[in-house]
Amino acid sequence: MAEARFVCLICRHVFPESRARLSPVEPEEDHLACPRCGSSQIEPYPFDPDVPVQDLLEPDEEGT
């Protein structure tokens, strides 16, 4: 079974649940936070394996 993944709404970092940390804002509750920026504004990452992946090393079609 695949591990749950989350995306941070602030820095857009995608990370697995095992890398998430407890939010320092409300440590008495089990709120997860982004491991990169510490924001607790995260949501489940809707990964779709059928969507084509964009190759960032290839130039875009517009030529910019």
Side-chain angles (χ1 to χ4, degrees), residues 3-4 12 21 29 31 38-39 42 49 53 58 60 62-63:
E3 184 176 14
R12 307 305 297 171
R21 60 184 184 171
E29 297 182 21
H31 288 265
S39 171
I42 60 174
V53 177
E58 292 183 13
D60 54 347
E62 297 174 4

Side-chain angles (χ1 to χ4, degrees), residues 55-64:
D55 187 354
L56 299 176
L57 299 178
E58 292 183 13
D60 54 347
E61 295 175 7
E62 297 174 4
T64 59

Side-chain angles (χ1 to χ4, degrees), residues 3-26 29-46:
E3 184 176 14
R5 296 175 65 88
F6 296 95
V7 61
C8 176
L9 299 177
I10 304 301
C11 70
R12 307 305 297 171
H13 179 62
V14 177
F15 54 93
E17 185 175 15
S18 63
R19 297 286 313 268
R21 60 184 184 171
L22 293 179
S23 173
V25 177
E26 299 177 35
E29 297 182 21
D30 290 337
H31 288 265
L32 298 178
C34 174
R36 179 181 284 171
C37 72
S39 171
S40 61
Q41 295 184 28
I42 60 174
E43 64 182 26
Y45 180 65

